[in-house]
Amino acid sequence: MGHKCFISFKTEDFEYKKEITDNLEIDFIDKSLKEPIKSDDQDYILQKIRSDYLADSSVTIFLIGEKSAENLGKEEQTFIKRELQASLYNGKENTRNGILGIVLPKMYSKVYRGSIICSQCNKNHNSIAINDSTVIKEFSYNYYIPNEKCSHSEDDRYCVLVKWDDFKKDPEKYIEEAYSKRSQPISQKIKVYP
């Protein structure tokens, strides 16, 4: 059985959202926001997203495109920030969602930077640029939750990351991976408002 998914995306990436909902053969129920919530009250927007769209979803899919970066500005990112904050919130009426970040093709070279030799342990690590230039803080913080290690293993991350092409090959695998993070110890270390 599939998990109910909410898709957080910028309008520039609508075609990828449509591809997921219309063409991928997965057990998927679309819980995406159909139109912006008309309010300037940020608390009201967050509450409305939780109660009307996220209440019965268990995984939030965050499409990482060219307009998903924190450094594009607070006003530009209002809705995706609130969607991720509402997804990370763990309350009485709804539980926290798993977060699956899908890196869209135009972002591959900006996010996946090859491998580097670590100055602390002298081992090779993959260099993945999940930062204010590629994503909003709600995703980057919970992907790179601070630790005292020189790198992060999958157990050190709450957010799951995958390339678009890999996701299309086995979407259920990655959705399940994000869903399972909700009950892992790392879920106790996330921040809703980093």
Side-chain angles (χ1 to χ4, degrees):
M1 179 173 173
H3 301 291
K4 292 183 180 179
C5 296
F6 176 90
I7 302 177
S8 180
F9 66 101
K10 298 294 290 183
T11 55
E12 293 85 355
D13 300 321
F14 177 76
E15 289 304 314
Y16 291 98
K17 185 257 187 193
K18 189 168 173 43
E19 174 81 12
I20 292 170
T21 58
D22 294 353
N23 299 326
L24 295 185
E25 294 183 25
I26 58 177
D27 186 4
F28 181 85
I29 299 168
D30 183 9
K31 298 294 293 181
S32 302
L33 200 61
K34 304 293 188 239
E35 57 187 56
I37 297 167
K38 293 180 170 110
S39 176
D40 292 328
D41 182 342
Q42 299 308 316
D43 290 332
Y44 172 77
I45 293 169
L46 191 61
Q47 178 272 324
K48 195 78 172 145
I49 291 169
R50 280 197 309 262
S51 64
D52 293 359
Y53 299 94
L54 289 169
D56 61 345
S57 67
S58 57
V59 173
T60 295
I61 294 173
F62 173 45
L63 298 180
I64 301 170
E66 294 180 300
K67 300 292 184 180
S68 302
E70 180 78 25
N71 64 9
L72 290 176
K74 182 179 176 182
E75 196 65 33
E76 173 71 19
Q77 305 307 29
T78 296
F79 290 104
I80 62 171
K81 288 181 81 57
R82 297 300 173 252
E83 290 165 356
L84 266 288
Q85 289 166 353
S87 297
L88 291 164
Y89 177 81
N90 198 32
K92 194 182 272 189
E93 299 298 317
N94 64 299
T95 57
R96 176 180 296 125
N97 279 10
I99 308 293
L100 173 59
I102 301 175
V103 180
L104 301 179
K106 287 185 178 179
M107 291 296 291
Y108 286 1
S109 64
K110 293 176 184 168
V111 171
Y112 297 98
R113 311 293 294 177
S115 67
I116 57 169
I117 296 177
C118 178
S119 62
Q120 292 179 358
C121 70
N122 288 324
K123 294 181 182 176
N124 277 333
H125 297 300
N126 289 327
S127 177
I128 301 174
I130 294 297
N131 54 43
D132 289 355
S133 296
T134 56
V135 296
I136 56 173
K137 283 190 189 307
E138 288 72 11
F139 189 87
S140 62
Y141 180 91
N142 293 298
Y143 184 76
Y144 283 126
I145 293 174
N147 65 32
E148 298 192 15
K149 302 175 188 176
C150 62
S151 65
H152 285 72
S153 71
E154 288 309 310
D155 290 339
D156 297 323
R157 307 178 197 282
Y158 184 76
C159 295
V160 174
L161 190 70
V162 63
K163 288 181 178 177
W164 171 254
D165 293 320
D166 293 334
F167 173 75
K168 285 192 340 182
K169 291 176 191 168
D170 195 355
E172 294 283 355
K173 171 186 170 185
Y174 297 103
I175 290 169
E176 182 62 36
E177 212 175 294
Y179 177 80
S180 71
K181 291 284 188 173
R182 298 170 5 136
S183 60
Q184 293 177 10
I186 196 64
S187 67
Q188 302 305 309
K189 295 183 179 181
I190 69 148
K191 279 193 179 179
V192 176
Y193 304 102

